[in-house]
Amino acid sequence: MASISNLASSLSSLSFSSQVSQRPNTISFPRANSMFALPAKSARRASLSITATVAAPPEEEEIIELKKYVKSRLPGGFAAQKIIGTGRRKCAIARVVLQEGTGKVIINYRDAKEYLQGNPLWLQYVKVPLVTLGYENSYDIFVKAHGGGLSGQAQAITLGVARALLKVSADHRSPLKKEGLLTRDARVVERKKAGLKKARKAPQFSKR
C-alpha cells in the first residue's frame, strides 16, 4: 500500500501543459511574380464587334430595280394616274394602270412571266383586251394584285385592263362588251354547310 501511495504522490507532482490551436494547420507558399499582369476589376473589358454584309440575291436586286422603274414611270403612285381600272375575280383584286409603251407587263414589281409562273393561259388572260383592240404593243401594263390565287388574279387583271381601256376612249366599249370582257364574273366557291362535308356533299348514309 505504501508503494501505491508513493506512486500517486509522485504523479500528482508532475504537471502537464497542453495548448490546442483553434486555427487549422495551414501551409503558405510565397507568391511568385507573374509575367502577365491581370487587369483590374474596374478596367473595362474590350468588346469585339463583327459586322458582316450579306449580298442580296439576284431576284431581290431585280425586284428593287423594277420598283425604281415603276416609281419613275408612275409619279405619285397608282392612285395619281388617269388611265386606271380595278378588276375582281373570286377573292382576287387587281388595280391596273395603262401607259403608252411597248407591251411590257409588270405585276407586283415583277415581270408577268415570272409572277404567273410562265403559264400560257394566265399570260393570255392579261393581254386579251389589248389583243381585241389591236393594242398589244402600244401600252405597258402596271398591276398591283392581292388576294386569291394566280388564276383569279390573272382574270381580275383582264377586267381591270378592259375597264382602263374605256378611259382611253368610249368607243372601246362596243368591241370589249361583245367579247364579254366588261362583265364581272360573279362565280365564287359556295360556302360549306353545317352537317355536310362541303357545300353540298353529305356524309355517307348509315342505317345503324
Side-chain angles (χ1 to χ4, degrees):
M1 292 296 292
S3 61
I4 295 174
S5 61
N6 293 332
L7 180 61
S9 62
S10 62
L11 288 174
S12 62
S13 63
L14 296 175
S15 61
F16 297 94
S17 62
S18 63
Q19 295 179 356
V20 180
S21 62
Q22 298 295 330
R23 296 182 181 177
N25 295 329
T26 57
I27 302 174
S28 60
F29 296 95
R31 291 186 180 179
N33 294 328
S34 59
M35 295 178 62
F36 303 97
L38 296 175
K41 291 184 178 179
S42 60
R44 295 182 180 178
R45 294 183 178 178
S47 60
L48 178 63
S49 60
I50 301 174
T51 58
T53 56
V54 181
E59 295 181 358
E60 292 185 3
E61 292 180 358
E62 186 179 352
I63 292 174
I64 292 171
E65 291 179 1
L66 281 176
K67 279 186 178 181
K68 292 180 180 178
Y69 173 74
V70 172
K71 287 181 180 179
S72 65
R73 291 289 303 273
L74 306 178
F78 277 68
Q81 308 307 312
K82 294 182 179 180
I83 308 177
I84 188 171
T86 302
R88 295 179 179 86
R89 175 73 174 100
K90 298 181 182 178
C91 296
I93 301 175
R95 298 173 65 192
V96 181
V97 171
L98 297 182
Q99 279 197 351
E100 293 184 359
T102 58
K104 185 179 295 185
V105 182
I106 297 177
I107 306 173
N108 291 345
Y109 306 110
R110 292 167 64 185
D111 184 68
K113 190 173 183 180
E114 178 191 352
Y115 185 83
L116 297 176
Q117 301 177 356
N119 190 306
L121 181 61
W122 297 343
L123 291 170
Q124 183 182 354
Y125 283 152
V126 174
K127 292 197 172 184
V128 164
L130 294 177
V131 173
T132 302
L133 299 176
Y135 292 155
E136 58 267 21
N137 295 323
S138 301
Y139 287 95
D140 289 340
I141 304 174
F142 301 94
V143 183
K144 272 188 178 179
H146 67 276
L150 294 179
S151 175
Q153 288 183 5
Q155 295 177 56
I157 293 171
T158 302
L159 181 58
V161 172
R163 287 179 173 177
L165 286 170
L166 292 180
K167 296 185 178 180
V168 176
S169 174
D171 297 335
H172 296 159
R173 178 176 292 275
S174 179
L176 291 174
K177 189 173 182 180
K178 186 177 180 181
E179 296 295 329
L181 298 174
L182 295 176
T183 303
R184 203 283 201 201
D185 194 345
R187 294 175 298 170
V188 294
V189 176
E190 188 176 349
R191 79 170 190 85
K192 182 185 179 302
K193 310 299 188 305
L196 300 182
K197 295 279 188 181
K198 299 197 301 183
R200 301 190 181 187
K201 181 181 179 181
Q204 183 178 5
F205 172 74
S206 176
K207 189 171 185 179
R208 293 178 182 85

